[in-house]
């Protein structure tokens, strides 16, 4: 959902090297204390090819080759970088405050298009560690985006975000963890968008002391503590928004909100078959019927929706424009049909199909700018008017011939 297709790896690496953007592939970077060296390397590269710096500097791109340490690349990435991780299996890691020097996008290349690799999951296997990915103490000005990873095998949470406001987690597959799927602690203003969160032994998504968190278009399935948990006695989370989610087969409850977190709680357009904790208001457009998943069980469940699912087209018509745009590039349906009208509920899979571009008929306008009714021209062949028959001229009378005098 946020990636540029690189069709030729070597040509792309060369181009990025020449512009000074692909730091790791070109030997740039260095240790976490070498920020100034990275900046100088970029300046020297630009000066060498006599290319002026653009008015708006493109986002730097860093590619992590398969099997290498992700955190090493994070620590050497320039501020504002997009780190693209190649398909493969990786070890757990923690990103701490000193590891970043500005905003960071950490993107899994699940299609292989950006790294010229195979199309397969990018899996972070915690293998019994507390977390598969953990963010700790990252200030809002250096907020991190986590996009597209499979997170499994953690004891505390597949993804733990602590004291890191403004974090975004999207398009991830978070399942088979002994604790929570996603755990937000003292990390307000975050976005949990379009994730599959399933078969975790704790909560699917838990927000503690994380006000103004948004949970939108997630599929939360089969978690054995609770589906979505907002706040607790020690960590109230007011002003949380819960919208367009499918919450199904969780126990013992689908959505629970601590009484201290009800202030500003906004939730609607959710499909929740598991019920609500006492005091949690239902949305006016909430549903509680079977979402009709295709194959929701197994190690890799299929959460596509069968034709006729009540979750199709049941989302909020006023879903944020930027998020609705991302949903239109995905699908909930087995047919792969994109989500082109009212938002579908739950997780959206990538799709190659596109929404049709509407065609507009030009409207005629008057000179004053007001809309006018177009003049319709009759295309029939007109019947010719017959020419009148000319009146023949009368025959002139001949004058008598004079006889000359003798």
């Amino acid at each position: 959902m946020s990636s540029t297709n690189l069709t030729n790896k070597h040509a792309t690496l060369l181009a990025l090297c020449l512009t000074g953007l692909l730091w790791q592939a070109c030997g740039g970077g260095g240790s976490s204390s070498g920020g100034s060296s990275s900046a100088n390397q970029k300046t020297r590269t630009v000066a060498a090819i006599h290319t002026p710096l653009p008015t708006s500097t493109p986002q730097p791109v860093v590619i992590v080759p398969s099997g290498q340490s992700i955190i090493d690349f994070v620590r050497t990435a320039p501020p504002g970088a997009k780190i693209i991780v190649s398909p493969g299996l990786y070890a757990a890691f923690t990103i701490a405050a000193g590891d970043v020097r500005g905003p960071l996008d950490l993107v899994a290349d699940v299609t292989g298009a950006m790294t010229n690799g195979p199309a397969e999951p990018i899996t972070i296997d915690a293998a019994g560690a507390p977390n598969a990915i953990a963010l700790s103490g990252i200030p809002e000005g250096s907020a991190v985006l986590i996009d597209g990873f499979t997170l499994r095998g953690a004891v505390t949470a597949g993804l733990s975000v602590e004291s890191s406001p403004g974090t975004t987690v999207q398009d991830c597959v978070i399942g088979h963890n002994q604790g929570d799927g996603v755990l937000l602690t003292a990390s307000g203003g975050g976005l949990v968008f379009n994730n599959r969160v399933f078969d975790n032994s704790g909560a699917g998504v838990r927000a503690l002391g994380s006000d103004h968190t948004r949970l939108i278009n997630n599929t939360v399935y089969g978690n054995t503590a609770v589906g979505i948990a907002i706040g607790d006695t020690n960590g109230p989370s007011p002003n949380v928004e819960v919208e367009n989610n499918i919450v199904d087969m969780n126990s013992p409850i689908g959505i629970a909100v601590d009484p201290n977190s009800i202030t500003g709680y906004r939730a609607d357009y959710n499909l929740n078959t598991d019920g609500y904790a006492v005091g949690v208001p239902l949305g006016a457009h909430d549903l509680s019927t079977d979402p009709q998943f295709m194959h929701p069980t197994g190690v890799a469940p299929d959460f596509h929706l069968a034709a006729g699912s009540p979750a199709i087209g049941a989302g909020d018509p006023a879903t944020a424009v930027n998020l609705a745009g991302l949903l239109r590039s995905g699908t909930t349906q087995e047919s792969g049909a994109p989500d082109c009208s009212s938002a579908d509920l739950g997780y959206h899979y990538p799709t190659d199909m596109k929404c049709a571009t509407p065609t507009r008929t030009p409207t005629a306008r008057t000179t004053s700018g007001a809309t006018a009714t177009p003049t319709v021209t009759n295309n029939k062949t007109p019947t010719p008017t017959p020419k009148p028959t000319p009146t023949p001229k009368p025959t002139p009378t001949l004058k008598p011939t004079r006889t000359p005098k003798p």
Side-chain angles (χ1 to χ4, degrees):
M1 280 195 180
S2 57
S3 305
T4 303
N5 186 11
L6 306 179
T7 57
N8 187 308
K9 182 178 181 180
H10 298 293
T12 302
L13 293 178
L14 177 59
L16 291 174
C17 287
L18 291 177
T19 57
L21 297 182
L22 192 53
W23 291 63
Q24 294 300 328
C26 308
S31 67
S32 58
S33 62
S36 59
S37 297
S38 298
N40 291 335
Q41 175 64 34
K42 182 175 182 181
T43 302
R44 287 197 299 271
T45 302
V46 171
I49 59 175
H50 306 288
T51 301
L53 287 173
T55 303
S56 178
T57 304
Q59 184 177 25
V61 174
V62 174
I63 293 180
V64 180
S66 182
Q68 302 219 7
S69 170
I70 294 175
I71 189 61
D72 287 347
F73 285 81
V74 169
R75 288 169 177 160
T76 57
K82 175 186 289 185
I83 299 179
I84 302 173
V85 181
S86 301
L89 179 65
Y90 297 84
F93 61 91
T94 297
I95 303 176
D99 296 327
V100 295
R101 291 166 297 283
L104 186 72
D105 293 350
L106 190 60
V107 179
D109 183 21
V110 294
T111 67
M114 294 179 286
T115 56
N116 201 26
E120 62 182 39
I122 289 80
T123 301
I124 313 297
D125 190 348
N131 314 110
I133 297 179
L135 307 180
S136 178
I138 299 173
E140 189 169 7
S142 297
V144 174
L145 177 146
I146 305 292
D147 184 338
F149 292 89
T150 295
L151 307 179
R152 70 187 188 196
V155 174
T156 302
L159 174 65
S160 173
V161 181
E162 183 175 2
S163 300
S164 301
T167 299
T168 295
V169 51
Q170 65 185 32
D171 304 328
C172 289
V173 180
I174 305 172
H176 307 299
N177 295 287
Q178 298 176 39
D180 297 335
V182 178
L183 174 60
L184 306 174
T185 306
S187 299
L191 172 65
V192 181
F193 171 68
N194 199 51
N195 301 282
R196 285 174 281 169
V197 187
F198 61 93
D199 291 344
N200 298 289
S201 298
V205 181
R206 190 187 304 272
L208 305 177
S210 300
D211 60 297
H212 293 91
T213 297
R214 294 185 295 160
L215 280 60
I216 300 176
N217 271 102
N218 302 284
T219 291
V220 182
Y221 181 92
N223 301 285
T224 55
V226 62
I228 295 173
I230 307 299
D232 65 6
T233 304
N234 298 318
S237 299
N239 302 303
V240 167
E241 179 182 354
V242 181
E243 179 180 273
N244 292 358
N245 302 284
I246 296 179
V247 182
D248 186 41
M249 299 299 291
N250 302 279
S251 60
I253 206 78
I255 298 178
V257 183
D258 177 74
N260 295 318
S261 303
I262 288 292
T263 302
Y265 172 73
R266 304 179 306 282
D268 202 359
Y269 295 94
N270 297 292
L271 191 157
N272 177 15
T273 64
D274 306 325
Y276 301 79
V278 175
V280 178
L282 278 67
H285 304 90
D286 283 359
L287 302 172
S288 60
T289 56
D290 182 358
Q292 299 180 29
F293 291 128
M294 296 300 296
H295 306 288
T297 59
V299 176
D302 183 352
F303 292 112
H304 282 94
L305 301 172
S309 165
I312 297 174
D316 185 356
T319 298
V321 173
N322 61 325
L323 301 183
L326 294 174
L327 297 177
R328 281 193 289 273
S329 64
T331 183
T332 64
Q333 302 182 51
E334 189 72 12
S335 66
D339 190 1
C340 299
S341 54
S342 295
D344 298 344
L345 304 182
Y347 174 79
H348 287 53
Y349 290 83
T351 181
D352 293 330
M353 299 175 67
K354 304 295 181 185
C355 295
T357 302
T359 56
R360 296 183 179 181
T361 302
T363 303
R365 294 185 178 274
T366 64
T367 54
S368 63
T371 302
T373 303
T375 302
V376 178
T377 303
N378 190 341
N379 294 324
K380 293 183 179 180
T381 303
T383 303
T385 304
K387 295 181 179 180
T389 303
T391 304
K393 295 181 179 180
T395 302
T397 302
L398 297 176
K399 294 181 179 181
T401 302
R402 288 184 180 186
T403 301
K405 290 180 180 182

